[in-house]
Amino acid sequence: MRGIFKMLIVVGALAVSACNTVEGVGKDVSSAGDTVAKTADSAK
């Protein structure tokens, strides 16, 4: 479980560093949040 969260943090950091605009950051953060929520739901 911890491995999944570490991987998500790394992927999220790479995604945020890759975007060029504030709108892009919002989309990246939203996408990362959705992924974390889906992972949490599947772990139940």
Side-chain angles (χ1 to χ4, degrees), residues 1 3-4 8 10 20 23-27 30 37 41:
M1 190 70 167
I4 292 172
L8 288 174
V10 170
N20 294 325
E23 182 180 359
V25 172
K27 289 180 182 178
S30 176
D41 286 339

Side-chain angles (χ1 to χ4, degrees), residues 4-5 10 14 16 19 27 31 39 41:
I4 292 172
F5 286 119
V10 170
L14 291 173
V16 169
C19 63
K27 289 180 182 178
S31 175
T39 303
D41 286 339

Side-chain angles (χ1 to χ4, degrees), residues 26-40:
K27 289 180 182 178
D28 290 340
V29 171
S30 176
S31 175
D34 289 342
T35 302
V36 170
K38 288 177 186 176
T39 303

